[in-house]
Amino acid sequence: MTGSVVESLMAVAPALNLALAGMAVVFGETFIGKGLDRRWLVSLALLGSVLGLLFTFLLWEPASTASYSVFQGLATVDTFALFLGGVILLCTILTLISSVDYLRRFGLDRGEFYALVLFSATGLWVMVATTHLFIIFLGLEVASIALYVLAGYFRKRDRSLESSLKYLLTGAFASSILLYGFAMVYLATGTVDLNGVAAAVESGEASTSVMLLALALILVGLGFKVAVVPFHMWAPDVYEGAPSTVTGFMATAVKAAGFGVLIRVLTVGFGSYLPDAGTMLFWVAIATILAANLVAVAQSNVKRMMAYSSVAHAGYAFMALFVLTQNTPGASGEAVRGLLFYLPAYAVSTLGVFTIISFLEDRRGRGLELEDYAGLYRRYPGLSMGMAVFILSLGGIPPTAGFLAKFHVFGAVISCGVESGSSQPLALAVVGILGSLIGLYYYLRVLIFMYMHEPQEDDRQFRLPALGVSFVVLVTAVLTLWLGLGPAVGFGAADILGWAEAARP
Amino acid sequence: MADSIAWIPGVLLLGAAVNGLLTLCSAHRGGPKKGMVIPFALGAPWIAFALSVMAFFKVKGGEVLSTSLYQWFDGTLFTVDVAFQMDSLSAVMILVVTGVGALIHTYAVGYMSKDPGFGRFFSYLNLFTFFMSILVLGSSPLLLFVGWEGVGLCSYLLIGFWWKDGAKAQAGSKAFIVNRIGDVGFVLGVLLIISTVAASGKSVHDFASLEAFATGDGKAALESPFIGSFSVVEVAGFLLRLGAFGKSAQLPLYVWLPDAMAGPTPVSALIHAATMVTAGVYMVARLHFLFVMAPTAMAFVAIVGALTALFAATIGIAQNDIKQVLAYSTVSQLGFMFAAVGVGAFSVGIFHVVTHAFFKALLFLGAGSVIHGPHEEQDMRKMGGLIKIMPITGWTMIIGSLALSGVPPFSGFFSKDEILASTLHPHPAFPGGIGPILYVILTIASLCTAFYTFRMVWLTFFGESRVDPEVRKKAHESPAIMTLPLVILAVGAAAIGFLGVPHALGGHNVFGSFVRQTVTSEVEAAHEGSGALLLVGIAVAIAILGVLTSYWFYRVRPSIPGRLFAGLGGFGRLVASAYRVDALYAKTIVNPLTRSAKRIFYEVIDVRFVDGLVNFFGSFTKGLAGLMRLFQTGAVRTYVFFMMIGAILLVWSVFSWS
């Protein structure tokens, strides 16, 4: 439906709330200045994102009957956008809460941090709520530029600056390739709206070779954002150097948006060209799963290990994208639903882990090595139990969210193989399972250190977990278990799977 | 919803969860404050008891309460709901579990007051009561099994509660492992029944529909031959009984129970006397409709029960540790119960479960009080004369002992008398002559019971004090929070028997007819009015004979036992060492098993093969990982270079495969 300006503004209310809250925080920081208690700024930022989430719920019902196409078709607010937007908002809220204690400990509790997180979230929300390639790019850049700054937020730490610079340089490179791909689409079809692109492809006006080139370039550009092999090499360095809560945000919200755009672009715009991308996605998924899991085994730094882990999870998600190229309508539906479930499932566990990582990190950036986790459960039984839940979820052990997510994605790949009769999907499923097996090695190692190793003698002080940290760990742990257990035991009646089902584009 | 019986397990689980969380969260401070633990630790069982009483009055009116929470799983062959039901059988059991349970919880507050693991103890104890309530309220065999395994777990946790003592931790493991043997039988039995039901295309989701199936259109399927000439139901009955033998400590699986006394005494009272160990009897009564179809398996149960009763009673005579006497006594009394349900007198067996719960919980708690008094002394040879120091403990324990010995009019007399009488009227399909044999065995066992029980009383409370004078000065009566439950239990142990006064004595057997609302079968009905006056007379005479003999042996002529023991020679020593059954098991089963586990499975298969394989993959993966890390140089130009290569490969791939 298209309508008045008011309706248009209402439809993008979640993003609007984020942006307004961000600006308000900047103003607050600038004009009220030094004497201000920054808790007000955080509250403002939280208010904006919580309102955004509230609007998401309010918009869900109308959007599921007829999606909003507003601002002359520049924004498309459908259930798909709202679902992923909701995931992004949830990640934003949790990141904001867990950052407070973290930044305060380093004396860096400033308004601009929260404003940048909100701006980045705004950009990410815009990315998933449009079918217009130009707007996608706009959202991507808004989000990325904010993230470049956030990665270097610890400006007195060389690692943080290095992280920012590397992200900027490689990101610029990837953005230009993506933009080049979009340009190719325009060249072939004369439009940058995905629905128009689809129509042009349908009518046969588009030039096949240009479209294929565009497909490859777009996959490179977005592959960089979600960090799949071989476009992942920035990720470990950037993730390790960036402030831990920012890393958590990058690994979850940014990935959710990236996969949202991938699903949208592939399924809406490239329809009949998709099968040509099958082999490419197949090999990218395999390379990502194997390489990321293998290298993660060799890491001794938990943050860096989590970076590879996030690359590996992008690989599992790519398995679902591969299914879309196989001309198997039944399995494709399952795959999209599975992937949409995967993103929040992975996000809550990962955010929980990064919250704990950020809590254990000290002023000098120590506390990130596996040895630092030795005997952790004696000092922090609650956090350790939370960590165990997250780790089991990331490793794909029932009854956690991660298990159910993998179950649905792998299941979609297998039923794709059954539907198409080809052996390629089955091979991919085997690699996925193999990768998960390797994954267990480095995931469970964290638990072994936490629970079975004697704590080290050191000068680190016991700190009671701040309220925000405990809150985020509790919420993410409960969500991890609920997402894993809820659909199985009938509590919540598989709501989230139902939403994912309803959100399919 | 508000009056749903699901609240009974609900509040108990809440208590366990709260205490568990409190303990976990305060682990670094050395446990939660007692004041925080007690409200939930005691609130949960007492509220559960109040709820049970309220539900009981509805059941008494002939209602069967049931409530279904949610569907647990929906298999293709059968469905399982998480649902509870309370009929007269469950009502009796839940009253015992929560009522006696609440008293023992109260006592334990005093008993454990100085223990650093106070919070942990009560979270386990509440959890146990929760699982026990699932066991007796669960509406399907599978839910019963959930409770069954849950109480086993809690039993293990509580026996090994003081796990820093290696022997106690090992006792916990022993209980767990021996129970596993029985549980295999239980699972197989349930699965056999379920598969038979599924094969005939029926849907059975709870006990009621299973009963309808077994007595209706499934009768033929259940009675068809399965192994040789044994029917399905005979085999299933045998397997289920194996489970009951493990949980209820019958021959040959009883060996874990004496060792289980390593746990704190309230645990022995609650789990290893009053409730958990009677779960096997409950299960047999619950599935009575299957067992009556399997007379061979039933006769087997009755004989094993009777033999266990006698066997354990003789061991009980020669024990010097007060808790060991009670442990073997429990094994022996469970044997009585199995003899009863074995001959088909299900309600009688359950009646003995109830009376036994009272007097045995009382005796155990009293023993705990005695142990507490003279400072952790369990050897009766170092006691004596304690009645002056601990009058309340002493007199309540004497009441419990009178009940256990079967002296009228205390409760044990009525239930035991009924068991003896019912053995003379067994299941009509039994081979002839079994009834009188059972009767004789059990009568001898009763004689032994009365003897060892009062031997314990004389040695502990009367005669010259053999307590170390230093210790005696410090010995004291237990605090009110411990003696009050003793008094209440003593009243129960004295009076509860009047619920089941047999017709022969002019009573109406209220209890029996209440349980028979649920346990309806012709075998059961045949026992109605079987207690002839002559049998009552014999039972009373036997009990009094036992008491008097022990008085003669231990008070009048204390030299007799020693001379008798010497006169018996090797046999005496054999009895005193509990027939060396543990050593026999160690030689024939445990040692060969552990040795082969070590030599073959550990040294060859695990170390060489499994570990070798795992290590190979581990080092292989690590090597590969090291190789791949070489690409991760840290220089942006390398990253961009690989991105370029990747982009070229991707472009190439879309064109080459299109």
Side-chain angles (χ1 to χ4, degrees), chain A residues 228-231 278-289 315 318, chain B residues 650:
Chain A
V228 287
V229 174
F231 316 111
T279 311
M280 172 170 76
L281 289 173
F282 176 74
W283 287 111
V284 168
I286 286 187
T288 306
I289 291 168
F318 251 63
Chain B
L650 252 59

Side-chain angles (χ1 to χ4, degrees), chain A residues 141-159:
Chain A
E141 285 309 299
V142 169
S144 299
I145 290 169
L147 283 171
Y148 299 147
V149 183
L150 282 173
Y153 188 74
F154 284 173
R155 60 181 184 280
K156 288 188 181 147
R157 274 198 206 165
D158 294 345
R159 279 267 157 131

Side-chain angles (χ1 to χ4, degrees), chain A residues 57-234:
Chain A
F57 284 113
L58 291 177
L59 286 166
W60 182 268
E61 209 44 55
S64 54
T65 46
S67 62
Y68 296 93
S69 176
V70 293
F71 295 116
Q72 277 92 44
L74 290 180
T76 305
V77 183
D78 48 11
T79 47
F80 178 76
L82 288 173
F83 182 85
L84 288 172
V87 174
I88 292 164
L89 282 162
L90 182 70
C91 296
T92 311
I93 294 170
L94 295 173
T95 305
L96 287 171
I97 299 175
S98 63
S99 296
V100 178
D101 164 66
Y102 184 59
L103 295 178
R104 195 167 288 173
R105 278 195 289 121
F106 301 123
L108 285 167
D109 184 24
R110 304 271 160 65
E112 56 259 34
F113 182 91
Y114 307 111
L116 285 166
V117 171
L118 291 172
F119 291 145
S120 176
T122 313
L124 296 174
W125 198 93
V126 169
M127 277 168 77
V128 295
T130 181
T131 55
H132 208 277
L133 293 179
F134 185 71
I135 303 294
I136 291 178
F137 189 73
L138 194 72
L140 183 65
E141 285 309 299
V142 169
S144 299
I145 290 169
L147 283 171
Y148 299 147
V149 183
L150 282 173
Y153 188 74
F154 284 173
R155 60 181 184 280
K156 288 188 181 147
R157 274 198 206 165
D158 294 345
R159 279 267 157 131
S160 185
L161 292 179
E162 178 193 335
S163 157
S164 176
L165 189 63
K166 278 184 176 167
Y167 196 22
L168 175 65
L169 291 174
T170 50
F173 190 77
S175 286
S176 52
I177 292 182
L178 181 67
L179 198 56
Y180 197 43
F182 287 171
M184 289 294 158
V185 173
Y186 185 69
L187 181 67
T189 62
T191 175
V192 284
D193 183 75
L194 285 172
N195 296 310
V197 172
V201 170
E202 195 84 353
S203 64
E205 292 165 23
S207 147
T208 303
S209 54
V210 178
M211 280 302 280
L212 285 179
L213 186 60
L215 181 58
L217 294 177
I218 289 173
L219 276 169
V220 173
L222 291 174
F224 170 86
K225 284 293 157 196
V226 299
V228 287
V229 174
F231 316 111
H232 71 291
M233 301 185 93
W234 59 277

Side-chain angles (χ1 to χ4, degrees), chain B residues 417-435:
Chain B
D417 171 57
E418 269 197 87
I419 291 177
L420 289 171
S422 62
T423 53
L424 291 175
H425 301 269
H427 193 296
F430 275 19
I434 285 192

Side-chain angles (χ1 to χ4, degrees), chain B residues 290-306:
Chain B
L290 292 177
F291 288 114
V292 293
M293 294 162 73
T296 317
M298 276 187 80
F300 176 67
V301 167
I303 292 165
V304 171

Side-chain angles (χ1 to χ4, degrees), chain A residues 265-446:
Chain A
V265 170
L266 290 180
T267 55
V268 180
F270 283 87
S272 59
Y273 292 115
L274 270 187
D276 295 325
T279 311
M280 172 170 76
L281 289 173
F282 176 74
W283 287 111
V284 168
I286 286 187
T288 306
I289 291 168
L290 290 182
N293 278 314
L294 281 173
V295 183
V297 168
Q299 303 305 320
S300 63
N301 181 302
V302 177
K303 216 165 151 188
R304 208 171 165 81
M305 183 207 90
M306 283 302 295
Y308 282 105
S309 144
S310 98
V311 176
H313 281 278
Y316 304 130
F318 251 63
M319 290 170 63
L321 292 182
F322 164 80
V323 175
L324 300 181
T325 65
Q326 295 299 297
N327 270 332
T328 47
S332 292
E334 268 182 68
V336 173
R337 192 182 71 150
L339 181 49
L340 286 178
F341 182 73
Y342 203 102
L343 295 172
Y346 161 77
V348 287
S349 308
T350 305
L351 274 173
V353 172
F354 276 108
T355 303
I356 292 173
I357 288 178
S358 75
F359 173 71
L360 294 174
E361 185 180 339
D362 71 5
R363 285 189 75 108
R364 277 166 285 181
R366 294 180 313 173
L368 298 171
E369 295 294 317
L370 259 178
E371 277 85 43
D372 297 320
Y373 284 68
L376 194 70
Y377 89 102
R378 294 203 189 175
R379 273 201 266 191
Y380 301 111
L383 291 186
S384 299
M385 195 180 272
M387 190 72 160
V389 171
F390 306 138
I391 288 289
L392 292 178
S393 172
L394 291 173
I397 309 273
T400 57
F403 162 73
L404 209 62
K406 274 205 181 114
F407 177 79
H408 283 294
V409 167
F410 290 12
V413 175
I414 288 169
S415 59
C416 166
V418 173
E419 207 173 325
S420 66
S422 131
S423 61
Q424 218 177 14
L426 297 179
L428 191 56
V430 170
V431 172
I433 291 165
L434 209 66
S436 312
L437 213 63
I438 303 174
L440 280 183
Y441 177 82
Y442 60 86
Y443 285 130
L444 293 183
R445 200 165 50 182
V446 178

Side-chain angles (χ1 to χ4, degrees), chain B residues 191-256:
Chain B
L191 290 181
L192 183 56
I193 300 286
I194 288 175
S195 64
T196 311
V197 172
S200 56
K202 295 279 184 271
S203 158
V204 162
H205 56 276
D206 60 7
F207 290 118
S209 54
L210 185 61
E211 180 165 7
F213 175 83
T215 52
D217 44 9
K219 201 166 160 51
L222 286 170
E223 284 179 342
S224 60
F226 185 62
I227 296 174
S229 63
F230 289 106
S231 66
V232 173
V233 71
E234 288 275 12
V235 175
F238 178 78
L239 289 169
L240 288 171
R241 216 137 308 182
L242 194 62
F245 287 168
K247 182 102 342 193
S248 297
Q250 296 296 291
L251 280 174
L253 296 178
Y254 75 93
V255 286
W256 64 271

Side-chain angles (χ1 to χ4, degrees), chain A residues 166 173-174 209 212-213 216 220 224 230-231 233-234 236-237 276 279-280 291 294-295 298 304 308 385 441 489 491, chain B residues 24 70-71 621-622 624-625 628-629 631-632 634 636 639-640 642-644 646-647 650-651 653-655 657-658:
Chain A
K166 278 184 176 167
F173 190 77
S209 54
L212 285 179
L213 186 60
V220 173
F224 170 86
F231 316 111
M233 301 185 93
W234 59 277
D237 293 3
D276 295 325
T279 311
M280 172 170 76
L294 281 173
V295 183
R304 208 171 165 81
Y308 282 105
M385 195 180 272
Y441 177 82
V489 297
F491 292 131
Chain B
L24 271 182
Y70 60 96
Q71 189 175 70
T621 309
K622 274 193 170 165
L624 215 59
M628 288 183 147
R629 282 174 79 190
F631 296 116
Q632 194 77 32
V636 174
Y639 299 174
V640 175
F642 277 106
M643 275 171 71
M644 261 337 279
L650 252 59
V651 172
S653 86
V654 281
F655 282 104
W657 272 294
S658 64

